[in-house]
Amino acid sequence: MSFMLVKNPGMEYAKEIVAYREEMLAAESSMDGCGSLRRHGNPQDWIAYNALLSNPATVPDGRVVSSQFILTDETGRIYAMLQVRHVLNAYLRNFAGHIGYSVRPSERRKGYAKKMLSMALEVCKTELQLPAVMVSCLVENEASRRTILSCGGIFEEKVFEHIEGKWLEKYWISLG
């Protein structure tokens, strides 16, 4: 099976976007790396919001330029989602980082997070020319921690994020 990292997916993925969202909500999963998918039940609205975020001229206040990605195969099934924030504002620097990602519950523990994060790191290096990226995970998320470490993550610190009331671990991955 061949996988692709699709940047800013369009309406051709509408049914899969809906299915991914429904599966994540049913499992009460954190929707890291999905951008605004939790609040946008209509895929067209989600795609339009991603377009705003991808353009420096239209990024909403308080947000940063970002690119939304999906990990898909030749059938169009979405296995995982990932968002790359091109720069860090204060919140991102303190908590969330450059990259957020999630894997749909039915596809976890199959290596898709590592595959997608590795592909995204190459985008960050070649397209964005970032020297390093910050990635965080919940302290209790052992699978995400292992993914980050397997991609070269170096632990920076543990922080308490007050909005969600959760402890996070912050890592840096050098792209040099």
Side-chain angles (χ1 to χ4, degrees), residues 103-132:
V103 176
R104 71 190 307 160
S106 61
E107 299 295 347
R108 292 183 179 155
R109 303 202 183 286
K110 298 178 183 178
Y112 298 132
K114 181 178 178 180
K115 177 183 291 298
M116 180 176 56
L117 181 56
S118 296
M119 294 166 95
L121 292 173
E122 189 60 30
V123 169
C124 290
K125 179 180 179 177
T126 59
E127 290 182 29
L128 302 179
Q129 299 181 341
L130 296 173

PDB file of all heavy atoms in Angstrom, residues 103-132:
ATOM      1  N   VAL A 103      -4.246  10.055  14.843  1.00  0.00           N
ATOM      2  CA  VAL A 103      -4.533   8.901  13.996  1.00  0.00           C
ATOM      3  C   VAL A 103      -5.939   8.431  14.352  1.00  0.00           C
ATOM      4  O   VAL A 103      -6.293   8.363  15.540  1.00  0.00           O
ATOM      5  CB  VAL A 103      -3.514   7.763  14.231  1.00  0.00           C
ATOM      6  CG1 VAL A 103      -3.866   6.519  13.422  1.00  0.00           C
ATOM      7  CG2 VAL A 103      -2.098   8.242  13.891  1.00  0.00           C
ATOM      8  N   ARG A 104      -6.735   8.119  13.352  1.00  0.00           N
ATOM      9  CA  ARG A 104      -8.100   7.676  13.649  1.00  0.00           C
ATOM     10  C   ARG A 104      -8.048   6.405  14.498  1.00  0.00           C
ATOM     11  O   ARG A 104      -7.164   5.560  14.312  1.00  0.00           O
ATOM     12  CB  ARG A 104      -8.940   7.524  12.393  1.00  0.00           C
ATOM     13  CG  ARG A 104      -8.596   6.383  11.502  1.00  0.00           C
ATOM     14  CD  ARG A 104      -9.278   6.384  10.141  1.00  0.00           C
ATOM     15  NE  ARG A 104     -10.701   6.509  10.196  1.00  0.00           N
ATOM     16  CZ  ARG A 104     -11.450   6.915   9.159  1.00  0.00           C
ATOM     17  NH1 ARG A 104     -10.903   7.188   7.996  1.00  0.00           N
ATOM     18  NH2 ARG A 104     -12.750   7.004   9.281  1.00  0.00           N
ATOM     19  N   PRO A 105      -8.957   6.272  15.442  1.00  0.00           N
ATOM     20  CA  PRO A 105      -8.890   5.166  16.405  1.00  0.00           C
ATOM     21  C   PRO A 105      -8.768   3.770  15.792  1.00  0.00           C
ATOM     22  O   PRO A 105      -8.017   2.936  16.300  1.00  0.00           O
ATOM     23  CB  PRO A 105     -10.192   5.324  17.202  1.00  0.00           C
ATOM     24  CG  PRO A 105     -10.447   6.801  17.157  1.00  0.00           C
ATOM     25  CD  PRO A 105     -10.021   7.221  15.776  1.00  0.00           C
ATOM     26  N   SER A 106      -9.443   3.513  14.688  1.00  0.00           N
ATOM     27  CA  SER A 106      -9.389   2.173  14.079  1.00  0.00           C
ATOM     28  C   SER A 106      -8.061   1.878  13.397  1.00  0.00           C
ATOM     29  O   SER A 106      -7.805   0.733  13.009  1.00  0.00           O
ATOM     30  CB  SER A 106     -10.521   2.017  13.063  1.00  0.00           C
ATOM     31  OG  SER A 106     -10.392   2.964  12.015  1.00  0.00           O
ATOM     32  N   GLU A 107      -7.191   2.879  13.278  1.00  0.00           N
ATOM     33  CA  GLU A 107      -5.915   2.698  12.576  1.00  0.00           C
ATOM     34  C   GLU A 107      -4.705   2.902  13.482  1.00  0.00           C
ATOM     35  O   GLU A 107      -3.577   2.995  12.995  1.00  0.00           O
ATOM     36  CB  GLU A 107      -5.836   3.644  11.369  1.00  0.00           C
ATOM     37  CG  GLU A 107      -6.918   3.422  10.331  1.00  0.00           C
ATOM     38  CD  GLU A 107      -6.834   2.064   9.644  1.00  0.00           C
ATOM     39  OE1 GLU A 107      -5.802   1.357   9.779  1.00  0.00           O
ATOM     40  OE2 GLU A 107      -7.803   1.689   8.964  1.00  0.00           O
ATOM     41  N   ARG A 108      -4.915   2.967  14.772  1.00  0.00           N
ATOM     42  CA  ARG A 108      -3.803   3.206  15.693  1.00  0.00           C
ATOM     43  C   ARG A 108      -2.942   1.965  15.860  1.00  0.00           C
ATOM     44  O   ARG A 108      -3.365   0.851  15.603  1.00  0.00           O
ATOM     45  CB  ARG A 108      -4.352   3.680  17.039  1.00  0.00           C
ATOM     46  CG  ARG A 108      -4.962   5.070  16.911  1.00  0.00           C
ATOM     47  CD  ARG A 108      -5.453   5.626  18.209  1.00  0.00           C
ATOM     48  NE  ARG A 108      -6.001   6.961  17.958  1.00  0.00           N
ATOM     49  CZ  ARG A 108      -6.908   7.539  18.700  1.00  0.00           C
ATOM     50  NH1 ARG A 108      -7.354   6.942  19.788  1.00  0.00           N
ATOM     51  NH2 ARG A 108      -7.356   8.734  18.382  1.00  0.00           N
ATOM     52  N   ARG A 109      -1.718   2.213  16.302  1.00  0.00           N
ATOM     53  CA  ARG A 109      -0.728   1.164  16.580  1.00  0.00           C
ATOM     54  C   ARG A 109      -0.317   0.388  15.320  1.00  0.00           C
ATOM     55  O   ARG A 109      -0.015  -0.798  15.370  1.00  0.00           O
ATOM     56  CB  ARG A 109      -1.209   0.225  17.677  1.00  0.00           C
ATOM     57  CG  ARG A 109      -1.535   0.975  18.970  1.00  0.00           C
ATOM     58  CD  ARG A 109      -1.505   0.081  20.171  1.00  0.00           C
ATOM     59  NE  ARG A 109      -1.874   0.758  21.378  1.00  0.00           N
ATOM     60  CZ  ARG A 109      -1.120   1.631  22.050  1.00  0.00           C
ATOM     61  NH1 ARG A 109       0.053   1.963  21.600  1.00  0.00           N
ATOM     62  NH2 ARG A 109      -1.555   2.185  23.171  1.00  0.00           N
ATOM     63  N   LYS A 110      -0.308   1.094  14.197  1.00  0.00           N
ATOM     64  CA  LYS A 110       0.101   0.493  12.926  1.00  0.00           C
ATOM     65  C   LYS A 110       1.249   1.260  12.283  1.00  0.00           C
ATOM     66  O   LYS A 110       1.602   0.992  11.140  1.00  0.00           O
ATOM     67  CB  LYS A 110      -1.100   0.430  11.965  1.00  0.00           C
ATOM     68  CG  LYS A 110      -2.240  -0.439  12.483  1.00  0.00           C
ATOM     69  CD  LYS A 110      -3.406  -0.422  11.525  1.00  0.00           C
ATOM     70  CE  LYS A 110      -4.577  -1.226  12.088  1.00  0.00           C
ATOM     71  NZ  LYS A 110      -5.748  -1.172  11.190  1.00  0.00           N
ATOM     72  N   GLY A 111       1.793   2.254  12.998  1.00  0.00           N
ATOM     73  CA  GLY A 111       2.931   3.000  12.490  1.00  0.00           C
ATOM     74  C   GLY A 111       2.589   4.233  11.673  1.00  0.00           C
ATOM     75  O   GLY A 111       3.484   4.894  11.135  1.00  0.00           O
ATOM     76  N   TYR A 112       1.304   4.577  11.575  1.00  0.00           N
ATOM     77  CA  TYR A 112       0.924   5.716  10.738  1.00  0.00           C
ATOM     78  C   TYR A 112       1.383   7.056  11.313  1.00  0.00           C
ATOM     79  O   TYR A 112       1.727   7.968  10.569  1.00  0.00           O
ATOM     80  CB  TYR A 112      -0.587   5.735  10.503  1.00  0.00           C
ATOM     81  CG  TYR A 112      -1.074   4.511   9.771  1.00  0.00           C
ATOM     82  CD1 TYR A 112      -2.174   3.796  10.227  1.00  0.00           C
ATOM     83  CD2 TYR A 112      -0.429   4.053   8.616  1.00  0.00           C
ATOM     84  CE1 TYR A 112      -2.625   2.662   9.558  1.00  0.00           C
ATOM     85  CE2 TYR A 112      -0.867   2.932   7.950  1.00  0.00           C
ATOM     86  CZ  TYR A 112      -1.963   2.237   8.429  1.00  0.00           C
ATOM     87  OH  TYR A 112      -2.396   1.125   7.766  1.00  0.00           O
ATOM     88  N   ALA A 113       1.378   7.196  12.631  1.00  0.00           N
ATOM     89  CA  ALA A 113       1.829   8.467  13.231  1.00  0.00           C
ATOM     90  C   ALA A 113       3.294   8.721  12.887  1.00  0.00           C
ATOM     91  O   ALA A 113       3.659   9.827  12.483  1.00  0.00           O
ATOM     92  CB  ALA A 113       1.618   8.454  14.741  1.00  0.00           C
ATOM     93  N   LYS A 114       4.130   7.705  13.037  1.00  0.00           N
ATOM     94  CA  LYS A 114       5.555   7.869  12.730  1.00  0.00           C
ATOM     95  C   LYS A 114       5.757   8.164  11.246  1.00  0.00           C
ATOM     96  O   LYS A 114       6.542   9.046  10.885  1.00  0.00           O
ATOM     97  CB  LYS A 114       6.339   6.630  13.130  1.00  0.00           C
ATOM     98  CG  LYS A 114       7.824   6.763  12.860  1.00  0.00           C
ATOM     99  CD  LYS A 114       8.588   5.548  13.302  1.00  0.00           C
ATOM    100  CE  LYS A 114      10.067   5.713  12.975  1.00  0.00           C
ATOM    101  NZ  LYS A 114      10.838   4.539  13.388  1.00  0.00           N
ATOM    102  N   LYS A 115       5.039   7.450  10.392  1.00  0.00           N
ATOM    103  CA  LYS A 115       5.150   7.666   8.945  1.00  0.00           C
ATOM    104  C   LYS A 115       4.777   9.112   8.609  1.00  0.00           C
ATOM    105  O   LYS A 115       5.502   9.815   7.904  1.00  0.00           O
ATOM    106  CB  LYS A 115       4.236   6.690   8.205  1.00  0.00           C
ATOM    107  CG  LYS A 115       4.214   6.858   6.696  1.00  0.00           C
ATOM    108  CD  LYS A 115       3.245   5.910   6.037  1.00  0.00           C
ATOM    109  CE  LYS A 115       3.666   4.484   6.106  1.00  0.00           C
ATOM    110  NZ  LYS A 115       4.908   4.121   5.451  1.00  0.00           N
ATOM    111  N   MET A 116       3.651   9.577   9.143  1.00  0.00           N
ATOM    112  CA  MET A 116       3.173  10.915   8.832  1.00  0.00           C
ATOM    113  C   MET A 116       4.077  11.989   9.430  1.00  0.00           C
ATOM    114  O   MET A 116       4.390  12.977   8.764  1.00  0.00           O
ATOM    115  CB  MET A 116       1.747  11.074   9.365  1.00  0.00           C
ATOM    116  CG  MET A 116       1.138  12.418   9.117  1.00  0.00           C
ATOM    117  SD  MET A 116      -0.581  12.495   9.653  1.00  0.00           S
ATOM    118  CE  MET A 116      -0.438  12.025  11.356  1.00  0.00           C
ATOM    119  N   LEU A 117       4.513  11.807  10.675  1.00  0.00           N
ATOM    120  CA  LEU A 117       5.392  12.796  11.290  1.00  0.00           C
ATOM    121  C   LEU A 117       6.708  12.882  10.525  1.00  0.00           C
ATOM    122  O   LEU A 117       7.205  13.983  10.264  1.00  0.00           O
ATOM    123  CB  LEU A 117       5.636  12.467  12.763  1.00  0.00           C
ATOM    124  CG  LEU A 117       6.524  13.453  13.524  1.00  0.00           C
ATOM    125  CD1 LEU A 117       5.983  14.880  13.449  1.00  0.00           C
ATOM    126  CD2 LEU A 117       6.671  13.001  14.980  1.00  0.00           C
ATOM    127  N   SER A 118       7.250  11.767  10.112  1.00  0.00           N
ATOM    128  CA  SER A 118       8.496  11.769   9.328  1.00  0.00           C
ATOM    129  C   SER A 118       8.323  12.536   8.020  1.00  0.00           C
ATOM    130  O   SER A 118       9.187  13.320   7.624  1.00  0.00           O
ATOM    131  CB  SER A 118       8.948  10.342   9.027  1.00  0.00           C
ATOM    132  OG  SER A 118       9.274   9.666  10.205  1.00  0.00           O
ATOM    133  N   MET A 119       7.203  12.310   7.358  1.00  0.00           N
ATOM    134  CA  MET A 119       6.931  13.012   6.100  1.00  0.00           C
ATOM    135  C   MET A 119       6.775  14.521   6.348  1.00  0.00           C
ATOM    136  O   MET A 119       7.271  15.345   5.574  1.00  0.00           O
ATOM    137  CB  MET A 119       5.672  12.442   5.439  1.00  0.00           C
ATOM    138  CG  MET A 119       5.835  10.998   4.980  1.00  0.00           C
ATOM    139  SD  MET A 119       4.244  10.230   4.577  1.00  0.00           S
ATOM    140  CE  MET A 119       4.187  10.514   2.815  1.00  0.00           C
ATOM    141  N   ALA A 120       6.106  14.881   7.433  1.00  0.00           N
ATOM    142  CA  ALA A 120       5.897  16.296   7.753  1.00  0.00           C
ATOM    143  C   ALA A 120       7.213  16.979   8.122  1.00  0.00           C
ATOM    144  O   ALA A 120       7.413  18.156   7.794  1.00  0.00           O
ATOM    145  CB  ALA A 120       4.894  16.436   8.890  1.00  0.00           C
ATOM    146  N   LEU A 121       8.095  16.267   8.783  1.00  0.00           N
ATOM    147  CA  LEU A 121       9.397  16.842   9.126  1.00  0.00           C
ATOM    148  C   LEU A 121      10.175  17.208   7.863  1.00  0.00           C
ATOM    149  O   LEU A 121      10.858  18.229   7.816  1.00  0.00           O
ATOM    150  CB  LEU A 121      10.203  15.881  10.004  1.00  0.00           C
ATOM    151  CG  LEU A 121       9.647  15.660  11.407  1.00  0.00           C
ATOM    152  CD1 LEU A 121      10.423  14.555  12.111  1.00  0.00           C
ATOM    153  CD2 LEU A 121       9.636  16.946  12.216  1.00  0.00           C
ATOM    154  N   GLU A 122      10.048  16.398   6.842  1.00  0.00           N
ATOM    155  CA  GLU A 122      10.709  16.699   5.571  1.00  0.00           C
ATOM    156  C   GLU A 122      10.127  17.969   4.950  1.00  0.00           C
ATOM    157  O   GLU A 122      10.855  18.800   4.409  1.00  0.00           O
ATOM    158  CB  GLU A 122      10.581  15.512   4.613  1.00  0.00           C
ATOM    159  CG  GLU A 122      11.416  15.635   3.363  1.00  0.00           C
ATOM    160  CD  GLU A 122      12.915  15.757   3.624  1.00  0.00           C
ATOM    161  OE1 GLU A 122      13.425  15.227   4.627  1.00  0.00           O
ATOM    162  OE2 GLU A 122      13.585  16.415   2.802  1.00  0.00           O
ATOM    163  N   VAL A 123       8.806  18.144   5.055  1.00  0.00           N
ATOM    164  CA  VAL A 123       8.157  19.372   4.567  1.00  0.00           C
ATOM    165  C   VAL A 123       8.681  20.577   5.346  1.00  0.00           C
ATOM    166  O   VAL A 123       9.009  21.613   4.763  1.00  0.00           O
ATOM    167  CB  VAL A 123       6.620  19.268   4.703  1.00  0.00           C
ATOM    168  CG1 VAL A 123       5.946  20.616   4.466  1.00  0.00           C
ATOM    169  CG2 VAL A 123       6.068  18.222   3.752  1.00  0.00           C
ATOM    170  N   CYS A 124       8.782  20.435   6.661  1.00  0.00           N
ATOM    171  CA  CYS A 124       9.270  21.537   7.507  1.00  0.00           C
ATOM    172  C   CYS A 124      10.708  21.915   7.147  1.00  0.00           C
ATOM    173  O   CYS A 124      11.068  23.094   7.163  1.00  0.00           O
ATOM    174  CB  CYS A 124       9.189  21.154   8.986  1.00  0.00           C
ATOM    175  SG  CYS A 124       7.497  21.056   9.603  1.00  0.00           S
ATOM    176  N   LYS A 125      11.488  20.909   6.808  1.00  0.00           N
ATOM    177  CA  LYS A 125      12.891  21.154   6.461  1.00  0.00           C
ATOM    178  C   LYS A 125      13.026  21.769   5.076  1.00  0.00           C
ATOM    179  O   LYS A 125      13.719  22.776   4.908  1.00  0.00           O
ATOM    180  CB  LYS A 125      13.666  19.836   6.534  1.00  0.00           C
ATOM    181  CG  LYS A 125      15.127  19.966   6.169  1.00  0.00           C
ATOM    182  CD  LYS A 125      15.829  18.622   6.258  1.00  0.00           C
ATOM    183  CE  LYS A 125      17.284  18.746   5.874  1.00  0.00           C
ATOM    184  NZ  LYS A 125      17.996  17.463   6.017  1.00  0.00           N
ATOM    185  N   THR A 126      12.370  21.184   4.082  1.00  0.00           N
ATOM    186  CA  THR A 126      12.589  21.607   2.699  1.00  0.00           C
ATOM    187  C   THR A 126      11.740  22.804   2.288  1.00  0.00           C
ATOM    188  O   THR A 126      12.247  23.736   1.680  1.00  0.00           O
ATOM    189  CB  THR A 126      12.356  20.442   1.723  1.00  0.00           C
ATOM    190  OG1 THR A 126      11.021  19.961   1.878  1.00  0.00           O
ATOM    191  CG2 THR A 126      13.349  19.321   1.953  1.00  0.00           C
ATOM    192  N   GLU A 127      10.451  22.780   2.614  1.00  0.00           N
ATOM    193  CA  GLU A 127       9.566  23.867   2.182  1.00  0.00           C
ATOM    194  C   GLU A 127       9.616  25.074   3.113  1.00  0.00           C
ATOM    195  O   GLU A 127       9.647  26.209   2.651  1.00  0.00           O
ATOM    196  CB  GLU A 127       8.126  23.365   2.063  1.00  0.00           C
ATOM    197  CG  GLU A 127       7.911  22.422   0.902  1.00  0.00           C
ATOM    198  CD  GLU A 127       6.466  21.977   0.781  1.00  0.00           C
ATOM    199  OE1 GLU A 127       5.552  22.739   1.185  1.00  0.00           O
ATOM    200  OE2 GLU A 127       6.246  20.858   0.279  1.00  0.00           O
ATOM    201  N   LEU A 128       9.596  24.823   4.420  1.00  0.00           N
ATOM    202  CA  LEU A 128       9.566  25.925   5.387  1.00  0.00           C
ATOM    203  C   LEU A 128      10.955  26.329   5.851  1.00  0.00           C
ATOM    204  O   LEU A 128      11.122  27.371   6.471  1.00  0.00           O
ATOM    205  CB  LEU A 128       8.698  25.552   6.593  1.00  0.00           C
ATOM    206  CG  LEU A 128       7.250  25.187   6.279  1.00  0.00           C
ATOM    207  CD1 LEU A 128       6.513  24.804   7.551  1.00  0.00           C
ATOM    208  CD2 LEU A 128       6.548  26.321   5.556  1.00  0.00           C
ATOM    209  N   GLN A 129      11.933  25.482   5.583  1.00  0.00           N
ATOM    210  CA  GLN A 129      13.330  25.717   5.954  1.00  0.00           C
ATOM    211  C   GLN A 129      13.495  26.027   7.446  1.00  0.00           C
ATOM    212  O   GLN A 129      14.257  26.903   7.837  1.00  0.00           O
ATOM    213  CB  GLN A 129      13.945  26.801   5.078  1.00  0.00           C
ATOM    214  CG  GLN A 129      13.928  26.411   3.624  1.00  0.00           C
ATOM    215  CD  GLN A 129      14.558  27.443   2.708  1.00  0.00           C
ATOM    216  OE1 GLN A 129      14.713  28.607   3.055  1.00  0.00           O
ATOM    217  NE2 GLN A 129      14.951  26.989   1.532  1.00  0.00           N
ATOM    218  N   LEU A 130      12.770  25.262   8.252  1.00  0.00           N
ATOM    219  CA  LEU A 130      12.900  25.397   9.703  1.00  0.00           C
ATOM    220  C   LEU A 130      14.111  24.599  10.179  1.00  0.00           C
ATOM    221  O   LEU A 130      14.319  23.470   9.713  1.00  0.00           O
ATOM    222  CB  LEU A 130      11.639  24.884  10.404  1.00  0.00           C
ATOM    223  CG  LEU A 130      10.342  25.644  10.117  1.00  0.00           C
ATOM    224  CD1 LEU A 130       9.147  24.926  10.732  1.00  0.00           C
ATOM    225  CD2 LEU A 130      10.445  27.063  10.633  1.00  0.00           C
ATOM    226  N   PRO A 131      14.909  25.137  11.082  1.00  0.00           N
ATOM    227  CA  PRO A 131      16.057  24.385  11.596  1.00  0.00           C
ATOM    228  C   PRO A 131      15.657  23.298  12.589  1.00  0.00           C
ATOM    229  O   PRO A 131      16.354  22.303  12.755  1.00  0.00           O
ATOM    230  CB  PRO A 131      16.906  25.460  12.277  1.00  0.00           C
ATOM    231  CG  PRO A 131      15.935  26.533  12.640  1.00  0.00           C
ATOM    232  CD  PRO A 131      14.860  26.503  11.589  1.00  0.00           C
ATOM    233  N   ALA A 132      14.521  23.496  13.253  1.00  0.00           N
ATOM    234  CA  ALA A 132      14.023  22.535  14.237  1.00  0.00           C
ATOM    235  C   ALA A 132      12.533  22.791  14.429  1.00  0.00           C
ATOM    236  O   ALA A 132      12.037  23.882  14.128  1.00  0.00           O
ATOM    237  CB  ALA A 132      14.756  22.699  15.568  1.00  0.00           C
TER     238      ALA A 132
END
